């Protein structure tokens, strides 16, 4: 079994903490403003893609 390098693990933590910080700073959303809703959805999608990327990349010495 291979374990992630310290750099890879740090990248994973950074991606997850960025998503947590974004969610923690969201104020009540004006549900009647589609531009605000689209902005939040796009930001959330990017943060989720960053998390997936951080977890999908093979670690050093991993069998692919």
């Amino acid at each position: 079994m291979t374990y992630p390098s310290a750099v890879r693990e740090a990248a994973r933590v950074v991606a997850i903490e960025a998503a947590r910080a974004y969610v923690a700073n969201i104020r009540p959303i004006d549900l009647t403003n589609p531009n605000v809703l689209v902005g939040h959805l796009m930001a959330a999608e990017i943060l989720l893609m960053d998390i997936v990327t951080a977890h999908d990349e093979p670690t050093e010495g991993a069998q692919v």
Side-chain angles (χ1 to χ4, degrees):
M1 174 178 217
T2 58
Y3 295 97
S5 67
V7 173
R8 170 61 47 218
E9 190 59 31
R12 291 174 181 172
V13 170
V14 167
I16 291 169
E17 288 303 318
R20 285 183 183 160
Y22 180 77
V23 171
N25 289 318
I26 292 177
R27 302 292 179 238
I29 299 171
D30 180 8
L31 299 177
T32 63
N33 187 341
N35 295 326
V36 171
L37 292 174
V38 169
H40 281 298
L41 289 173
M42 290 174 66
E45 182 179 7
I46 291 169
L47 289 168
L48 289 172
M49 289 186 324
D50 290 344
I51 291 171
V52 170
T53 300
H55 284 83
D56 275 352
E57 293 179 4
T59 57
E60 296 169 6
Q63 300 290 331
V64 179

